[in-house]
Amino acid sequence: MSTSTSSQQPVASRSQLPFICLTDDPALRSESWDCRVVEPLFPQDPIPASAT
């Protein structure tokens, strides 16, 4: 099983704000983001809803 990684954000370690990544990829991992898996709005749509 391969594990995806998100883009790391060095500023996250200095910030008091949470860095939250909403994703449909349960394998996504990050040291600077709080990755939260969500169900896609349109599961059969190959283009992410966030891109529209």
Side-chain angles (χ1 to χ4, degrees):
M1 173 191 207
S2 65
T3 302
S4 301
T5 56
S6 68
S7 175
Q8 301 306 311
Q9 299 296 318
V11 71
S13 65
R14 299 185 308 269
S15 177
Q16 293 183 352
L17 299 174
F19 279 58
I20 300 171
C21 174
L22 303 178
T23 180
D24 62 350
D25 181 357
L28 188 65
R29 301 287 182 261
S30 174
E31 292 180 17
S32 56
W33 290 91
D34 175 7
C35 298
R36 299 182 184 186
V37 178
V38 295
E39 293 295 320
L41 187 58
F42 302 104
Q44 302 303 316
D45 188 356
I47 299 172
S50 64
T52 59

